[in-house]
């Protein structure tokens, strides 16, 4: 087995992605180099980080660099790093599969028409930059030796479905990637990547901020003696960490390139936040609000955290203590002047300075959202579409900042068929006699819109917020009021609308009907006891005969459905049936019941009434067969 070559298939999604990559019409093919250099830089960061606690791993060689070597005759370009390297297992999982969560989503996106056009977006979103090498190379060889390990691994592929892997030898630790270049082809954007001038200009454009020297091996100059060559080596990049520079000296493109390096995203960020904190604990922070959510944002184990440096040395790749969890989509770097290099995760978490940094960064990010919200509503809408759910999580978890988060919320509402509204705008439109902010949760706008619960509000022309996201259920548990106005679910508890007189009037009217309708209510209660815990009269309905509501502190039907789906044995809640005493159907039932309490129509009518109320709010029928039979019998009596 020692030197045997094995041929292994790529994971199905990888294979498809590679196919798209190879045939890609994406013209900005230069960026393959940025991706490979970015990976080399990551590998060097990891090694340097490891070596803080385990110096042996350096094997006495503390050179941290990236070397490029082009051979115009052989048409190859080699990218070498003296970084951490990979074991066989790591090679197989990193270069043969897509390890990130969300591959299901990737599969779906690949199956969509137009996936080829979205390629760069897909590569960025799913963090698969390595494969971009196949845009420009028809064969890629990776020779890698994990720092500290004895043997090396050679991986090779033409990207068409399989790769080969075998044990090999490599004197220096780290990874050497050899690209066998496709012939230059202006139309498809493939340049001659073995040309030194081109290589150095791509590096300067896309990878200038890389913290390690990027060295290009000079082509042999017949006039120079071999000894002259090493002395002449100067890095292609300036190696000045971008966050250490003054914001005035950094161009937007430079910020964007750096963002792509740390985020693995191929799209420019929406906003950059760069500042320096002076005082007892000094640090620089460079943060980005991406313009698009990563594929795994809402999965367990989503990529989170900022890169934490201590005096330019990365001491943590994903430090989750610098921002609250709901801001996990923010990318960036924090470089502190006074942190020990080997600080443990636990010490860091408890560090008072780090807690202050976290507070400050959170404020900065929320201020940026506010600025976008106020000055660039279109951009803010993108933020909302991409990260709105995370912001909602914040309302329910970051109570200290709740008052900064709630003005950022946007909801669909009965005010406008398309445009979303903020709570502030809602409050601005409230009717003079309206005291509360009304909302209803449900699976979709359409379903909520047609819900009988809204009838009374529509009659009064009160606006209702439509909450269609399951996290809204959690949000409203933590958001009792906004600007002094209580949030009130239209589907919960009783609903009294209008001025004090109108309310008193409505109550008086209901009271007056109480006795008359009592026998019918008792009958329905008994008939439907399995699903209904109480029957009462209500003035909230105008055109429907009945609806179902829950008590003020019960779960809403949407939340109940979610809980039941996640946890099969979640007990079913009984609900309150509200009757519209002015509806002809209810009036007739009351009369028939008064005339003959044993009228065979009544039991079936009760069943139909319950079914209609459930269907109107989008819930399932507890017993569709029973409903079917009852409806048939009722029809039989009238046709
Ligand atoms: P990403 O960089 O977003 O993780 P890539 O497709 O660029 O995705 O790379 C996949 C993985 O392969 C990396 O996460 C890393 O673990 C590994 N890898 C790639 N290049 C190198 C390298 N030069 N040295 C060590 N590991 C590497
Ligand atoms: Mg990468």
């Amino acid at each position: 087995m020692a030197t045997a070559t094995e041929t292994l298939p790529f994971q199905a999604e990888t294979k498809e992605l590679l196919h798209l990559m190879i045939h890609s019409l994406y013209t900005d093919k230069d960026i393959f180099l940025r991706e490979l250099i970015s990976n080399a830089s990551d590998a060097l960061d990891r090694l340097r980080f490891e070596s803080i606690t385990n110096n042996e791993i350096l094997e006495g060689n503390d050179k941290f660099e990236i070397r490029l070597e082009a051979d115009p005759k052989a048409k190859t370009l080699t990218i070498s790093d003296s970084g951490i390297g990979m074991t066989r297992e790591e090679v197989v999982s990193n270069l043969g599969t897509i390890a990130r969560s969300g591959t299901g989503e990737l599969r779906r996106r690949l199956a969509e028409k137009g996936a080829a056009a979205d390629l760069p977006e897909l590569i960025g979103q799913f963090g698969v930059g390595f494969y971009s090498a196949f845009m420009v190379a028809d064969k890629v060889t990776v020779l890698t030796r994990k720092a500290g390990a004895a043997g090396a691994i050679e991986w090779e592929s033409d990207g068409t479905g399989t790769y080969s892997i075998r044990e090999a030898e490599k004197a220096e630790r780290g990874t050497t990637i050899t690209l066998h270049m496709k012939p230059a082809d202006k139309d498809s954007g493939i340049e001659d990547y073995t040309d030194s001038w081109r290589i150095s200009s791509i590096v300067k454009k896309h990878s200038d901020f890389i913290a390690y020297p990027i060295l290009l091996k000079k082509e042999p100059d017949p006039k120079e003696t071999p000894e002259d060559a090493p002395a002449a080596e100067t890095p292609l990049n300036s190696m000045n960490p971008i966050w250490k520079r003054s914001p005035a000296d950094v161009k937007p493109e430079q910020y964007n390139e750096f963002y792509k390096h740390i985020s693995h995203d191929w799209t420019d960020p929406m906003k950059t936040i760069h500042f320096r904190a002076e005082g007892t604990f000094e640090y620089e922070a460079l943060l980005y609000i991406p313009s698009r959510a990563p594929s795994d944002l809402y999965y367990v184990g989503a990529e989170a955290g900022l890169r934490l440096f201590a005096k330019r040395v990365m001491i943590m790749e994903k430090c989750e203590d610098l921002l609250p969890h709901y801001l996990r989509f923010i990318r960036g770097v924090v470089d502190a002047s006074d942190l020990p290099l080997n600080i443990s995760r636990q010490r860091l978490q408890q560090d008072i300075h780090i807690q202050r940094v976290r507070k400050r960064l959170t404020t900065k990010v929320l201020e940026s959202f506010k600025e976008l919200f106020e000055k660039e509503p279109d951009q803010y809408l993108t933020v909302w579409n991409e990260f709105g759910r995370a912001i909602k999580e914040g309302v329910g978890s970051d109570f200290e900042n709740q008052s900064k988060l709630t003005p950022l919320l946007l909801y669909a509402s009965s005010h406008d068929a398309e445009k979303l509204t903020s709570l502030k705008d809602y409050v601005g439109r409230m009717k003079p006699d309206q005291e509360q902010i009304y909302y209803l949760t449900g699976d979709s706008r359409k379903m909520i819109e047609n819900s009988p619960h809204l009838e009374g509000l529509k009659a009064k022309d009160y606006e209702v917020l439509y909450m269609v996201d399951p996290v809204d259920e959690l949000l409203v548990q933590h958001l009792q009021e906004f600007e002094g106005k209580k949030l009130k679910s239209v589907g919960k508890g009783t609903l009294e609308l209008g001025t004090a007189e109108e309310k008193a009037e409505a109550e008086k009217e209901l009271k007056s009907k109480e006795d008359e309708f009592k026998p019918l209510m008792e009958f329905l209660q008994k008939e439907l006891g399995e699903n209904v815990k109480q029957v009462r009269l209500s003035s909230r309905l105008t055109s429907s005969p009945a609806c179902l509501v829950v008590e003020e502190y019960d779960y809403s039907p949407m939340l109940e459905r979610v809980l039941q789906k996640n946890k099969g044995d979640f007990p079913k809640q009984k609900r309150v049936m509200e009757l519209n005493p002015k509806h002809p159907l209810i009036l007739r039932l009351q009369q028939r019941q008064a005339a003959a309490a044993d009228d065979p129509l009544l039991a079936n009518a009760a069943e139909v009434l319950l079914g209609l109320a459930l269907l109107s709010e989008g819930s399932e029928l507890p017993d569709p067969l029973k409903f079917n039979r009852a409806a048939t019998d009722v029809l039989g009596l009238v046709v």
Side-chain angles (χ1 to χ4, degrees):
M1 157 83 209
T3 53
T5 302
E6 261 190 277
T7 302
L8 297 174
F10 284 112
Q11 178 197 31
E13 292 79 30
T14 314
K15 193 174 146 180
E16 198 158 334
L17 202 61
L18 279 167
H19 178 84
L20 290 177
M21 197 84 77
I22 289 167
H23 300 99
S24 170
L25 300 176
Y26 183 58
T27 48
D28 193 7
K29 294 201 160 63
D30 294 0
I31 45 79
F32 82 92
L33 191 55
R34 170 189 83 196
E35 292 299 318
L36 297 182
I37 289 176
S38 172
N39 286 348
S41 164
D42 287 346
L44 288 159
D45 278 342
R46 282 177 198 143
L47 178 71
R48 187 149 71 172
F49 174 61
E50 276 281 324
S51 71
I52 295 169
T53 49
N54 174 16
N55 202 258
E56 315 261 275
I57 202 169
L58 297 181
E59 305 165 358
N61 168 9
D62 60 359
K63 253 197 213 137
F64 288 76
E65 58 189 25
I66 300 166
R67 293 187 162 272
L68 307 178
E69 192 172 339
D71 184 338
K73 279 204 206 73
K75 288 276 162 233
T76 58
L77 173 63
T78 304
I79 297 108
S80 302
D81 65 68
S82 52
I84 189 100
M86 286 178 273
T87 62
R88 187 184 196 281
E89 288 69 39
E90 286 167 338
V91 170
V92 170
S93 89
N94 294 336
L95 311 183
T97 63
I98 293 160
R100 219 147 145 195
S101 39
T103 34
E105 157 85 358
L106 177 60
R107 199 171 314 134
R108 195 180 60 68
R109 296 273 297 273
L110 285 169
E112 272 171 18
K113 259 212 340 245
D118 286 344
L119 186 64
E121 196 179 311
L122 288 175
I123 299 168
Q125 213 175 347
F126 291 88
V128 287
F130 167 77
Y131 301 122
S132 64
F134 288 96
M135 294 194 306
V136 295
D138 44 28
K139 190 168 81 178
V140 177
T141 311
V142 178
L143 178 61
T144 184
R145 181 165 73 77
K146 181 93 177 181
I153 296 294
E154 189 179 80
W155 178 103
E156 189 165 86
S157 179
D158 62 3
T160 54
T162 61
Y163 59 88
S164 71
I165 189 162
R166 64 177 191 88
E167 289 179 12
E169 307 258 320
K170 190 174 183 296
E172 301 214 318
R173 65 152 190 265
T175 304
T176 296
I177 298 179
T178 305
L179 307 179
H180 304 264
M181 289 301 176
K182 290 183 185 177
D185 171 16
K186 282 262 179 290
D187 289 344
S188 54
I190 301 179
E191 306 285 349
D192 176 5
Y193 295 111
T194 61
D195 175 66
S196 313
W197 178 85
R198 181 157 308 280
I199 295 170
S200 63
S201 75
I202 297 176
V203 170
K204 286 200 180 79
K205 180 168 171 208
H206 292 297
S207 309
D208 188 58
F209 51 79
I210 293 287
Y212 306 96
I214 303 171
L215 304 166
L216 177 61
K217 190 170 176 193
K218 285 180 71 179
E219 279 152 46
D221 182 340
K223 282 172 274 169
E224 271 176 33
T225 62
E227 292 84 64
D228 289 340
E233 262 190 339
T234 37
L236 300 177
N237 50 330
S238 60
M239 289 200 300
N240 184 8
I242 196 160
W243 61 87
K244 287 276 179 194
R245 301 182 209 168
S246 150
D249 299 336
V250 188
K251 295 195 202 95
E253 308 85 79
Q254 292 175 313
Y255 277 132
N256 292 352
E257 287 299 339
F258 183 68
Y259 166 75
K260 289 171 191 170
H261 167 58
I262 55 168
S263 68
H264 308 248
D265 184 359
W266 284 25
T267 318
D268 288 340
M270 163 94 56
K271 203 171 169 72
T272 304
I273 305 165
H274 184 189
F275 68 95
R276 195 189 148 73
E278 320 261 347
T280 46
F281 189 78
E282 299 192 338
Y283 61 92
E284 291 94 24
L286 174 53
L287 308 185
Y288 296 96
I289 303 174
S291 17
R292 209 185 32 211
S295 60
D296 60 0
L297 181 59
Y298 301 111
Y299 287 77
V300 185
E303 198 157 329
L306 303 176
R307 293 192 179 193
L308 179 62
F309 286 70
K311 289 204 193 69
R312 298 173 190 231
V313 176
M314 190 178 79
I315 59 169
M316 213 167 279
E317 194 175 353
K318 292 168 191 165
C319 181
E320 296 185 30
D321 305 316
L322 295 169
L323 281 173
H325 186 64
Y326 70 94
L327 294 178
R328 60 191 173 276
F329 54 89
I330 301 292
R331 299 286 176 253
V333 167
V334 171
D335 191 340
S337 314
D338 296 312
L339 271 181
L341 290 183
N342 56 357
I343 189 167
S344 71
R345 178 75 214 280
Q346 207 183 4
R347 281 259 323 277
L348 198 69
Q349 255 171 352
Q350 292 158 355
D351 191 289
I352 180 80
H353 299 298
I354 293 295
Q355 286 166 14
R356 280 191 204 132
V357 174
R358 175 187 169 114
K359 237 178 143 139
R360 178 95 188 267
L361 299 184
T362 306
T363 305
K364 284 276 187 186
V365 171
L366 298 185
E367 276 169 4
S368 294
F369 285 155
K370 181 169 186 241
E371 208 177 298
L372 285 172
F373 183 94
E374 285 168 357
K375 300 195 183 124
E376 294 176 88
D378 287 347
Q379 294 230 45
Y380 181 74
L381 200 58
T382 307
V383 169
W384 180 252
N385 288 334
E386 296 295 319
F387 308 111
R389 269 173 72 190
I391 293 174
K392 289 175 186 174
E393 278 175 38
V395 173
S397 61
D398 186 357
F399 304 118
E400 210 181 307
N401 287 305
Q402 203 185 52
S403 62
K404 291 190 182 123
L405 287 159
T406 46
L408 300 172
L409 297 171
L410 291 179
Y411 283 106
S413 91
S414 54
H415 174 68
D416 193 294
E418 270 148 39
K419 272 211 228 87
L420 303 178
T421 180
S422 67
L423 295 178
K424 197 177 172 67
D425 288 345
Y426 177 104
V427 169
R429 285 188 297 266
M430 280 171 70
K431 296 282 173 291
D433 59 0
Q434 183 183 347
E435 285 166 358
Q436 294 172 314
I437 298 173
Y438 295 105
Y439 70 88
L440 189 57
T441 60
D443 290 336
S444 70
R445 176 180 180 122
K446 200 163 159 227
M447 207 174 262
I448 296 178
E449 259 172 349
N450 294 320
S451 158
H453 301 97
L454 301 192
E455 288 172 5
L457 292 124
K458 279 184 194 153
K460 281 243 163 273
D461 202 21
Y462 286 178
E463 185 173 344
V464 179
L465 299 175
Y466 300 153
M467 299 191 172
V468 293
D469 188 339
V471 305
D472 288 326
E473 295 278 4
L474 301 174
L475 178 130
V476 291
Q477 288 179 18
H478 295 285
L479 181 65
Q480 261 87 27
E481 53 174 60
F482 179 79
E483 291 187 353
K485 312 281 181 203
K486 281 212 156 47
L487 267 80
K488 162 83 179 142
S489 167
V490 177
K492 288 185 174 182
T494 52
L495 192 64
E496 291 144 1
L497 304 172
T499 60
E501 294 104 74
E502 284 170 321
K503 277 184 210 161
E505 184 67 28
E507 204 183 314
K508 215 172 94 200
E509 202 187 333
L510 287 183
K511 267 246 145 51
S512 72
K513 294 191 174 151
E514 201 72 19
D515 287 343
E516 197 183 347
F517 280 84
K518 204 163 176 238
L520 177 65
M521 292 197 281
E522 277 170 1
F523 171 78
L524 290 174
Q525 167 80 70
K526 196 165 113 279
E527 235 2 80
L528 305 173
E530 223 176 288
N531 297 293
V532 171
K533 64 176 167 193
Q534 194 201 333
V535 180
R536 66 183 175 218
L537 299 181
S538 155
S539 54
R540 86 168 74 211
L541 299 166
T542 58
S543 52
S544 298
C547 72
L548 294 166
V549 297
V550 295
E551 303 279 40
E552 204 69 58
Y553 297 104
D554 281 349
Y555 296 118
S556 77
M558 170 156 93
L559 188 56
E560 197 182 350
R561 279 196 292 278
V562 172
L563 292 169
Q564 253 154 7
K565 217 165 84 193
N566 296 346
K567 196 170 165 290
D569 57 352
F570 185 81
K572 205 176 69 164
Q573 299 182 115
K574 286 191 188 184
R575 297 216 263 148
V576 177
M577 178 179 262
E578 291 195 348
L579 299 180
N580 175 0
K582 292 186 190 155
H583 196 282
L585 201 75
I586 300 297
L587 277 171
R588 275 299 289 149
L589 277 180
Q590 187 267 328
Q591 288 159 5
R592 282 187 81 136
Q593 209 254 348
D598 58 352
D599 188 334
L601 170 91
L602 293 169
N604 287 326
E607 194 60 36
V608 173
L609 211 54
L610 173 71
L612 294 178
L614 283 166
L615 290 173
S616 69
E617 59 167 42
S619 290
E620 275 171 33
L621 297 175
D623 187 347
L625 267 181
K626 200 167 167 193
F627 175 79
N628 209 20
R629 251 182 264 123
T632 312
D633 285 351
V634 171
L635 272 180
L637 286 169
V638 294
V639 293

